[in-house]
Amino acid sequence: MIQITLPDGSVREVAQGTSAMDIAMSISEGLARNVLAAEVNGQVIDAVRPINEDASLKLLTWNDDGGKSTMWHSSAHLMAEAIQHFYPKAKFAIGPPVEDGFYYDIDFGEEILSDKEFKKLEDKMLELAREKNEYVREEVSKSDAIKYFTERGDEYKLELIDGLEDGSITFYTQGSFTDLCRGPHIPNTGFIKAVKLMKLAGAYWRGDEKNKQLTRVYGVTFPKQKDLTDYLTLLEEARKRDHRKLGKELDLFHFSQNVGQGLPLWLPKGADLRARLETFLKNAQKKAGYEPVITPHIGSKSLYETSGHWAKYGEDSFRPIETPHEGEVYMLKPMNCPHHCEIFKSRPRSYKDLPIRYAEFGTVYRYEQSGELHGLTRVRGFTQDDAHIFCAQDQIKDEIGKVIDLVLYIFKTLDFQDFIAQVSLRDPENPEKYIGSKENWDKAEKAIAEVAEEKGLKTVVEYGEAAFYGPKLDFMVRDAIGRKWQLGTVQLDYNLPERFELEYVGADNDRHRPVMIHRAPFGSMERFVAILIEHCAGKFPLWLTPEQVRILPISEKYHDYAQDVLKVLNNSDIRAAVDERAEKIGKKIREAELDKVPYMLIVGEEEQNSSQVSARKQGHGDLGAFSVEDFVKQIEKEIKEMLA
RNA sequence: GCCGAUGUAGCUCAGGGGUAGAGCGUUUCCUUGGUAAGGAAGAGGUCAUGGGUUCAAUUCCCAUCAUUGGCUCCA
């Protein structure tokens, strides 16, 4: 007999060789129907595998990441079986689960798979799923494994087997499909109730562009049809929120082929929105002791040789530009920090000057590969809400704390409520990868971890994710529909102060090297605006939105009164416009709603006679009548509370 | 950069070997109305660009460019 400890601490005594599924069955049949895999002593295995020793056991269902990924991994095999049925010559490379589904990289040889075939494949998968074929695990010797895939002519599997130890090789078979696989898998294909193939993509064998490009088929499966429906609804919602679509509809920005790829043009409303965000951050930064600086869009190539960026990124940058006669070489600036270092160096610095905080909305240009450009989130020219803090080693913790405060203020004001901070530290295995003394790193890493803790941030620590020049603190937000985005970043830098030989005179009258902190709460204005659009589905917070109020006269007779109302609003710095088109009120309302204008003021005979306005809130409908003054007060109050 | 898809009016899209259509928008006219689309008429397109096949190409083929989904990359 062996002892099985369940997550609630209860212990069950069962015969050796009992499987997790048996145990689930003994608890309830309903539970057993949902068990996809089992976590035994921290390791995820097949739910049907016998357990032979005392163990802690967690039954994994669709609600566990481990259960989900097992299901998707098994689904990849199921898809492979369906593909093999129609394309017997297909060779299978790897087919893992991913964050939202699974894929399989497949070599179709001469044939081409089109997404028009998806329906056929999905139907086949469902047909095979209904057969409830078991996923049968089999340990095979290396020579047998090689023999099997040599017969199948699948060089990819052979290459994978080549890297495996004899004795550790397992095959899984369901129905007519056998795959080299470590597992684990769900008990049988019947757990898969809903199937959707998502897209096709090219992917290199082993991710190396020198290797052959395979066809990657993405799919997703669910244990209930409804889960699939919900998922498709979510995707639809994401499409509706796409910043490229909304940016066009709301006249925020535009891309022109004549200007160039990845070079956004900000339209008046977008520029207005962006300027307001910048002002918001400038005000916050002013309070936090930042000083504005302005630097040119180009800089001498030698500046980037000093910084090290030329050596690392020069070849992948926009080509340098030259002066016509002297042949001096300049770069479009890809980073603001070298310029800011030069500002620091513009005169001798004392410890009494520190910390120095230089802030600039600095526009930078980077050559991004054409396939990588995407709306406003990935562009070739963008403006960072950049700042560099030059401080002494013992000021790091304080300064990072202040940056965190700033970031938290921004998140709160813009209604990003769900976020975590990722602390990126050195890879303990490879200490030689990093520049700067071990003592300083130890102190800096400790400072980041402590201050994140003190600020009550939800954090995850990632070892090996630090930059070579210093540890980082990155903020990851979840938007309104649950998608993750990386936003603000705080990075310590020991490298640039070294390369630029930055110094300050300490209290001891010796020269010391300052530490530099790079930070950008938004990241870039382009990317941030894109994320904000998608987060709020184009319904910007009242304080930020370009048009706060639209006045809708019932008919031409009330245009004068509407203009009077407009004047009152404008005098209170409320951004408003009058819709004077000869349209009916229903249409004006409809369009104001679709334009996502937060408030509509309807003015007609009644309002004119009583010196009132009938207010309507976007998405909520009629609010009733107000005097113009009361309405203004209410708007002012609402905005004030938002920016508090 | 690589693989796939797409490119038709300002926008969203339909169509299809015999030089084009809808809705919205826009213009003009009628209508002056009460909480999510009033009516009529008109303007607007070398069907992305360049080649090829064909009696004939916007349609089929190839290339280029751009957009797009991935891959690789990301200071």
Side-chain angles (χ1 to χ4, degrees):
Chain A
M1 297 296 272
I2 55 171
Q3 297 206 325
I4 301 296
T5 310
L6 297 171
D8 64 3
S10 67
V11 177
R12 285 179 178 242
E13 194 140 302
V14 297
Q16 197 177 44
T18 300
S19 73
M21 193 48 99
D22 296 331
I23 294 168
M25 195 68 91
S26 75
I27 296 172
S28 93
E29 207 183 310
L31 176 63
R33 270 201 299 274
N34 288 314
V35 170
L36 299 171
E39 193 176 311
V40 175
N41 291 332
Q43 198 190 352
V44 182
I45 64 163
D46 302 330
V48 296
R49 257 178 92 177
I51 302 171
N52 290 318
E53 55 189 25
D54 290 355
S56 66
L57 169 70
K58 185 174 179 210
L59 299 167
L60 299 178
T61 67
W62 180 251
N63 295 322
D64 301 291
D65 286 347
K68 212 173 261 185
S69 60
T70 302
M71 164 101 155
W72 282 336
H73 187 184
S74 302
S75 302
H77 284 227
L78 182 67
M79 180 175 79
E81 186 180 2
I83 287 173
Q84 193 176 60
H85 178 264
F86 293 108
Y87 304 88
K89 286 190 194 140
K91 296 171 190 171
F92 296 89
I94 54 165
V98 287
E99 193 169 345
D100 40 22
F102 57 88
Y103 66 80
Y104 218 122
D105 283 349
I106 299 162
D107 182 351
F108 282 93
E110 298 301 305
E111 294 189 84
I112 291 170
L113 181 69
S114 149
D115 56 13
K116 293 181 183 68
E117 310 297 314
F118 279 3
K119 182 76 177 68
K120 187 172 82 179
L121 290 170
E122 287 165 3
D123 290 345
K124 187 70 188 175
M125 284 173 72
L126 287 170
E127 179 191 323
L128 292 167
R130 277 192 294 271
E131 289 173 7
K132 294 190 167 59
N133 294 319
E134 290 178 11
Y135 286 85
V136 180
R137 184 175 186 273
E138 178 193 5
E139 293 180 11
V140 292
S141 68
K142 192 160 180 169
S143 57
D144 284 350
I146 291 172
K147 188 157 161 268
Y148 180 82
F149 282 105
T150 305
E151 280 166 14
R152 287 206 49 94
D154 190 329
E155 64 262 31
Y156 305 101
K157 295 294 177 191
L158 287 171
E159 199 177 318
L160 291 173
I161 292 167
D162 195 41
L164 297 174
E165 294 263 327
D166 198 1
S168 70
I169 298 174
T170 50
F171 281 4
Y172 275 84
T173 301
Q174 95 279 3
S176 61
F177 182 76
T178 296
D179 203 355
L180 169 74
C181 184
R182 191 188 301 122
H185 282 285
I186 57 177
N188 67 65
T189 57
F191 285 74
I192 299 167
K193 303 282 198 217
V195 167
K196 182 81 185 162
L197 299 191
M198 301 303 293
K199 54 202 165 201
L200 289 172
Y204 302 107
W205 168 235
R206 306 211 136 165
D208 186 338
E209 59 185 297
K210 289 186 203 74
N211 287 337
K212 177 158 183 181
Q213 187 149 24
L214 308 171
T215 304
R216 178 170 295 183
V217 189
Y218 282 90
V220 64
T221 55
F222 297 92
K224 282 193 252 149
Q225 186 60 39
K226 182 171 183 305
D227 293 330
L228 173 60
T229 317
D230 290 349
Y231 179 69
L232 294 177
T233 307
L234 178 74
L235 289 185
E236 181 57 33
E237 179 61 27
R239 265 193 289 279
K240 278 191 211 150
R241 287 167 177 258
D242 191 316
H243 75 276
R244 293 166 300 181
K245 177 175 176 289
L246 288 170
K248 204 178 268 180
E249 286 174 9
L250 301 176
D251 292 323
L252 300 175
F253 56 88
H254 174 70
F255 287 90
S256 161
Q257 299 187 15
N258 299 324
V259 173
Q261 331 180 34
L263 299 171
L265 301 172
W266 291 80
L267 305 178
K269 283 183 182 174
D272 176 75
L273 178 92
R274 170 175 156 174
R276 191 156 290 108
L277 272 176
E278 290 182 358
T279 305
F280 162 69
L281 183 54
K282 276 179 190 163
N283 289 341
Q285 286 181 165
K286 195 170 177 187
K287 280 185 205 149
Y290 289 78
E291 300 174 283
V293 294
I294 297 174
T295 66
H297 285 231
I298 63 173
S300 173
K301 181 183 158 200
S302 62
L303 184 68
Y304 299 100
E305 285 167 349
T306 303
S307 73
H309 292 117
W310 171 256
K312 198 161 189 310
Y313 298 104
E315 287 303 312
D316 298 320
S317 297
F318 279 109
R319 298 261 67 83
I321 46 184
E322 289 182 29
T323 57
H325 303 302
E326 307 83 344
E328 291 168 356
V329 182
Y330 291 87
M331 303 277 295
L332 274 172
K333 99 176 147 180
M335 296 282 290
N336 302 302
C337 22
H339 291 76
H340 292 188
C341 286
E342 289 299 322
I343 294 176
F344 180 89
K345 281 176 77 171
S346 62
R347 63 181 170 88
R349 303 292 178 177
S350 152
Y351 73 99
K352 292 177 189 165
D353 298 331
L354 304 186
I356 289 173
R357 309 180 190 92
Y358 291 144
E360 173 175 23
F361 286 88
T363 305
V364 297
Y365 299 90
R366 297 178 184 176
Y367 170 76
E368 304 288 355
Q369 298 188 80
S370 62
E372 204 44 53
L373 300 170
H374 179 93
L376 278 187
T377 58
R378 194 74 187 273
V379 287
R380 284 179 171 169
F382 56 97
T383 302
Q384 297 177 311
D385 57 326
D386 213 357
H388 296 96
I389 301 167
F390 301 87
C391 67
Q393 182 72 30
D394 62 7
Q395 293 171 321
I396 289 176
K397 189 172 164 186
D398 249 20
E399 286 306 306
I400 292 179
K402 285 179 188 165
V403 174
I404 292 175
D405 288 340
L406 186 65
V407 171
L408 294 183
Y409 170 62
I410 289 165
F411 283 4
K412 182 177 146 277
T413 308
L414 290 161
D415 201 30
F416 286 104
Q417 291 164 355
D418 190 359
F419 57 89
I420 56 165
Q422 177 180 313
V423 180
S424 299
L425 305 178
R426 281 167 296 181
D427 177 358
E429 310 278 304
N430 295 300
E432 74 288 348
K433 280 202 315 204
Y434 304 95
I435 182 168
S437 77
K438 182 175 177 303
E439 297 74 53
N440 283 346
W441 269 85
D442 288 342
K443 272 190 257 173
E445 290 184 344
K446 188 158 165 276
I448 292 183
E450 279 177 9
V451 70
E453 161 96 38
E454 284 164 24
K455 298 288 177 191
L457 298 180
K458 236 192 279 174
T459 54
V460 286
V461 176
E462 295 287 344
Y463 291 93
E465 286 296 305
F468 75 93
Y469 50 78
K472 294 194 288 189
L473 181 68
D474 293 321
F475 288 85
M476 320 283 199
V477 302
R478 247 181 219 284
D479 71 12
I481 56 172
R483 294 169 303 172
K484 277 190 253 176
W485 301 89
Q486 190 192 319
L487 275 185
T489 181
V490 189
Q491 305 186 5
L492 252 67
D493 189 345
Y494 292 109
N495 180 46
L496 286 183
E498 198 73 34
R499 286 178 161 271
F500 280 91
E501 300 178 336
L502 304 184
E503 289 175 342
Y504 67 91
V505 178
D508 55 6
N509 205 29
D510 269 349
R511 288 163 189 280
H512 298 273
R513 188 127 291 165
V515 183
M516 217 172 145
I517 299 171
H518 309 250
R519 45 103 284 178
F522 292 154
S524 85
M525 298 313 293
E526 286 74 8
R527 185 176 151 81
F528 187 78
V529 167
I531 294 169
L532 185 62
I533 290 170
E534 303 206 0
H535 178 55
C536 67
K539 296 173 192 170
F540 298 109
L542 184 60
W543 66 272
L544 187 59
T545 201
E547 186 179 355
Q548 295 169 312
V549 178
R550 189 175 293 176
I551 303 165
L552 312 178
I554 295 286
S555 81
E556 207 174 344
K557 285 183 242 161
Y558 312 105
H559 283 186
D560 288 346
Y561 180 60
Q563 290 296 337
D564 292 344
V565 174
L566 178 65
K567 267 191 210 116
V568 177
L569 297 182
N570 284 345
N571 284 340
S572 304
D573 285 328
I574 292 170
R575 299 182 292 280
V578 182
D579 184 349
E580 291 192 334
R581 293 173 308 162
E583 296 292 349
K584 291 171 82 161
I585 194 66
K587 177 150 184 171
K588 292 184 185 181
I589 288 171
R590 175 180 159 79
E591 293 192 359
E593 289 278 349
L594 293 175
D595 287 345
K596 306 183 204 309
V597 179
Y599 288 101
M600 287 147 262
L601 296 181
I602 291 146
V603 294
E605 190 178 0
E606 293 167 29
E607 290 78 10
Q608 187 169 39
N609 291 338
S610 60
S611 290
Q612 287 189 312
V613 291
S614 287
R616 191 188 154 96
K617 193 176 165 81
Q618 201 270 349
H620 291 84
D622 199 356
L623 297 177
F626 298 81
S627 75
V628 184
E629 290 70 27
D630 283 351
F631 177 76
V632 167
K633 271 184 209 147
Q634 191 152 331
I635 297 273
E636 286 175 336
K637 181 165 165 259
E638 194 178 329
I639 290 172
K640 202 172 160 201
E641 281 167 6
M642 281 179 173
L643 294 175

